[in-house]
Amino acid sequence: ILVSRQTEKEKLKLVIVNDMGQTLLQRNLNANETLLEINVNNYTPGRYYVQLWGNSGFKETRSFVVR
């Protein structure tokens, strides 16, 4: 999957969790990182959630499906 963002204003924490709420990946993104490619080929089929957290209180969650 590709994770991108429009602005370069703050550091973000990226977390990928599965349907059971288990954290599979956790990564800090620097303010200048605008595009991140994540290999999910080894994930079992199912729904997953990408959560982005910012120091300013920003939070966004998106889902994706691995088939």
Side-chain angles (χ1 to χ4, degrees), residues 15-32:
V15 179
I16 295 182
V17 298
N18 63 16
D19 253 349
M20 309 247 323
Q22 297 169 311
T23 299
L24 304 174
L25 176 71
Q26 194 169 22
R27 170 139 187 237
N28 292 318
L29 302 177
N30 293 323
N32 63 349

Side-chain angles (χ1 to χ4, degrees), residues 27-39:
R27 170 139 187 237
N28 292 318
L29 302 177
N30 293 323
N32 63 349
E33 287 184 272
T34 57
L35 185 64
L36 176 65
E37 184 174 357
I38 301 169
N39 184 348

